[in-house]
Amino acid sequence: MNWRPNANLTQLQKRAELLAGIRRFFAANKALEVDTPALITGGCVDRHIESPQVSGGRYLHSSPELAMKRLLAAGSGDIYQLSHVFRANEQGRRHNSEFMLLEWYRCGYSTADLQQEISQLISSLAGLPWSELSAGSIEYVSYQQAFIQYCGLDPLSCSVADIKRRCESSAPDLDDDDRDGWLDWLGSQLVFPHLGWRENQMFQTYLVDFPASQAALARLSEDAAGNSVAARFELYIAGVELANGYHELSDVDEQRDRLGERAATENPEFLAALEHGLPDCCGVALGVDRLLMLLTGAGSIAEVMPFSFERV
């Protein structure tokens, strides 16, 4: 039994300074800090993420998103939250079953506005005296462009059979009708690790224009070629996925259709909030532990956490 913390005292001090820096940034940029419950009635609405279920039939949330959108519908205005979240069966160098998310929403912002603010936040935090992270240049790469460049497949038109051939002997155990699952796995193996750096230089790479089938809770739009895509982006630095942002879907009927019967039944309060009216807004979730890992040059998020899953 190892009772000691993962992070040493220096790392714990840096963690505290990072959290203080985040709060200073949002205080200066006029967003209200909120605190929503971690215990909720329904599981995660993303079928690729499993929320841990506890006694009584409730779940530990994988994101504060639904509760924060209820606050937005009630007139909160711009809000942010530092929240512990939970995802079952996620362990690894960059994963822990419990971790910290920074999630925030801006009313009236476009995804471009939100991307600019994310980069401002990262530049601010990269200026902490002990930071080993350079804010780096910013680039924008479409999901389609990235897959064509790094694995030679067009994700908007390729078949599951095409992906399986590209996977060769390392194919995962996925159903053939889970095309997005296959794309996500292929991306994790051959595409996403290349994003956010080039020739040993770190970049802030915004991956944009996801397939419409991966919109989740984001609106749909069109890319330059007229393809239907999700108004969604992810931020990568040095091959690490750091943030996931949306132009938020506010159409309650479309949202109900996307959730499916089970998820819609489990989240009536969220749908009622959408029915009342969600303001035009964009939101993003950023992994705090991963950011601290990048800022300190740590080899894993366990090194910057007080206690990883194995020690609780």
Side-chain angles (χ1 to χ4, degrees):
M1 178 186 298
N2 191 342
W3 61 267
R4 295 184 181 276
N6 291 85
N8 59 33
L9 179 59
T10 299
Q11 289 284 29
L12 293 176
Q13 290 169 334
K14 291 176 179 178
R15 187 181 186 90
E17 290 171 16
L18 172 62
L19 297 180
I22 290 170
R23 288 189 164 100
R24 282 195 304 271
F25 179 88
F26 285 105
N29 289 280
K30 311 300 182 190
L32 175 69
E33 183 172 9
V34 297
D35 183 16
T36 61
L39 198 61
I40 58 176
T41 55
C44 182
V45 297
D46 185 335
R47 64 190 182 91
H48 292 109
I49 296 174
E50 182 182 352
S51 298
Q53 190 169 17
V54 299
S55 60
R58 297 207 171 204
Y59 296 83
L60 292 169
H61 69 174
S62 60
S63 162
E65 178 175 7
L66 301 189
M68 292 182 77
K69 286 180 177 177
R70 289 169 63 186
L71 293 177
L72 288 162
S76 67
D78 298 339
I79 53 176
Y80 81 97
Q81 181 168 187
L82 286 161
S83 176
H84 280 256
V85 299
F86 306 84
R87 298 184 183 181
N89 305 314
E90 291 202 9
Q91 285 298 116
R93 190 165 67 89
R94 298 173 184 170
H95 296 84
N96 196 67
S97 291
E98 179 180 357
F99 60 99
M100 181 175 280
L101 270 185
L102 165 63
E103 189 152 331
W104 77 96
Y105 294 84
R106 289 291 192 182
C107 299
Y109 269 37
S110 67
T111 52
D113 294 330
L114 189 58
Q115 289 160 2
Q116 182 179 31
E117 183 168 58
I118 295 166
S119 294
Q120 290 169 349
L121 172 64
I122 290 171
S123 294
S124 170
L125 298 172
L128 290 167
W130 42 263
S131 171
E132 298 181 22
L133 176 67
S134 167
S137 300
I138 300 169
E139 65 176 2
Y140 302 88
V141 178
S142 75
Y143 188 95
Q144 182 183 40
Q145 176 186 349
F147 270 74
I148 290 172
Q149 179 176 354
Y150 293 113
C151 69
L153 290 179
D154 184 340
L156 302 185
S157 61
C158 68
S159 67
V160 169
D162 294 329
I163 299 171
K164 282 185 172 182
R165 283 192 290 270
R166 191 68 181 83
C167 293
E168 299 174 345
S169 61
S170 55
D173 183 20
L174 292 171
D175 294 334
D176 283 358
D177 60 358
D178 186 8
R179 185 173 180 277
D180 287 320
W182 281 97
L183 282 173
D184 190 59
W185 185 88
L186 186 63
S188 70
Q189 301 299 304
L190 300 179
V191 181
F192 307 147
H194 294 284
L195 303 180
W197 55 5
R198 190 166 56 249
E199 297 176 355
N200 296 320
Q201 291 287 106
M202 287 188 185
F203 282 76
Q204 295 179 48
T205 300
Y206 286 95
L207 188 66
V208 301
D209 293 341
F210 278 67
S213 57
Q214 297 183 30
L217 305 188
R219 300 185 185 196
L220 296 181
S221 63
E222 288 189 352
D223 65 12
N227 298 305
S228 179
V229 294
R232 172 189 166 195
F233 63 86
E234 290 180 351
L235 170 63
Y236 288 80
I237 298 178
V240 176
E241 180 197 337
L242 193 59
N244 184 12
Y246 302 155
H247 191 167
E248 302 296 343
L249 178 65
S250 58
D251 184 308
V252 65
D253 293 326
E254 183 177 351
Q255 187 66 86
R256 187 179 286 108
D257 288 343
R258 287 196 202 174
L259 291 178
E261 184 176 351
R262 181 195 63 81
T265 301
E266 289 180 349
N267 295 281
E269 297 86 359
F270 167 61
L271 293 172
L274 289 188
E275 189 79 55
H276 176 77
L278 184 72
D280 182 28
C281 62
C282 285
V284 62
L286 184 151
V288 174
D289 308 287
R290 289 184 180 183
L291 176 57
L292 185 55
M293 180 185 77
L294 290 169
L295 288 167
T296 61
S300 71
I301 62 169
E303 294 175 38
V304 300
M305 292 179 144
F307 298 98
S308 66
F309 185 73
E310 292 85 358
R311 298 196 188 186
V312 296

